[in-house]
Amino acid sequence: MKTQFLITLIGIASPLLFFVDCTGTRPNDLGIRSGKLLECPSTPNCVSSYTDPSDKEHFRAPAPYTKPTSEAVAILKQRILETPRTKIIKEENNYLYVEFTSFLMRYVDDVEFYFDEKTKQLHFRSASRLGKSDFGVNRKRIETLLKDLTI
């Protein structure tokens, strides 16, 4: 009886432990450094407005904004909060750091937004914590968040 219970418990717990491991460790090197966000790694699971424009895999142009920075941040923040499985980790005057968690496997993507007040450009970096490929999820997320965004 005890053996059967232990086998059942292990059978239930093993897949759950697999899902917990998909979150990865929160990076400690994110943020604005010398007026920029961290560069993308060489893996295809990242998109950034600071990447060289000739790098079609990682580059996406920044979005211009015309509203006062505080208002533009509030508008973007509202759109982010309307997205399921999001958590704002850090919020400063012109910077947002958000974790997006996938539904099924619970993978976490680290997404940063930087409102450059000098150039009036919204810069971003969206990267998967784990793995190599993201099947275009980070690029699609940025495209969705910025689509028809009036800031």
Side-chain angles (χ1 to χ4, degrees), residues 65-75 93 115 117 120 151:
Y65 70 97
T66 58
K67 296 185 184 296
T69 302
S70 60
E71 188 178 337
V73 170
I75 292 168
N93 295 335
F115 290 81
E117 295 173 304
K120 298 295 275 186
I151 53 174

Side-chain angles (χ1 to χ4, degrees), residues 1-11:
M1 183 79 167
K2 285 184 180 180
T3 304
Q4 182 62 35
F5 174 75
L6 286 174
I7 291 171
T8 302
L9 185 62
I10 290 170

Side-chain angles (χ1 to χ4, degrees), residues 6-21:
L6 286 174
I7 291 171
T8 302
L9 185 62
I10 290 170
I12 292 170
S14 294
L16 294 176
L17 290 175
F18 174 75
F19 288 117
V20 170
D21 275 346

Side-chain angles (χ1 to χ4, degrees), residues 7 36 50 56-58 68 89 91 94 96 104 122 127 129 133-134 139 145:
I7 291 171
K36 291 186 172 186
Y50 280 115
K56 302 296 182 200
E57 185 172 56
H58 296 106
I89 303 302
E91 180 179 355
N94 60 345
L96 291 172
L104 185 60
L122 169 58
R129 272 191 199 165
S133 177
D134 67 348
R139 180 174 297 279
L145 287 171

Side-chain angles (χ1 to χ4, degrees), residues 2 11 29 53 59 63 66 68 116 125 146:
K2 285 184 180 180
D29 58 350
F59 179 75
T66 58
D116 186 337
R125 178 184 185 271
L146 298 182

Side-chain angles (χ1 to χ4, degrees), residues 31-124:
I32 303 166
R33 307 272 193 268
S34 301
K36 291 186 172 186
L37 300 173
L38 190 65
E39 290 188 25
C40 280
S42 60
T43 54
N45 58 2
C46 179
V47 64
S48 171
S49 59
Y50 280 115
T51 301
D52 184 319
S54 66
D55 181 351
K56 302 296 182 200
E57 185 172 56
H58 296 106
F59 179 75
R60 199 281 191 186
Y65 70 97
T66 58
K67 296 185 184 296
T69 302
S70 60
E71 188 178 337
V73 170
I75 292 168
L76 177 61
K77 182 179 171 183
Q78 181 59 42
R79 182 161 289 186
I80 290 167
L81 292 174
E82 292 169 356
T83 306
R85 297 173 307 283
T86 61
K87 181 178 181 182
I88 296 177
I89 303 302
K90 188 173 185 179
E91 180 179 355
E92 294 175 348
N93 295 335
N94 60 345
Y95 174 80
L96 291 172
Y97 166 36
V98 186
E99 291 177 343
F100 288 81
T101 304
S102 68
F103 176 69
L104 185 60
M105 297 297 288
R106 312 304 291 168
Y107 286 110
V108 176
D109 294 336
D110 298 292
V111 184
E112 300 176 278
F113 297 95
Y114 167 47
F115 290 81
D116 186 337
E117 295 173 304
K118 291 177 187 166
T119 63
K120 298 295 275 186
Q121 296 286 316
L122 169 58
H123 288 279
F124 50 83

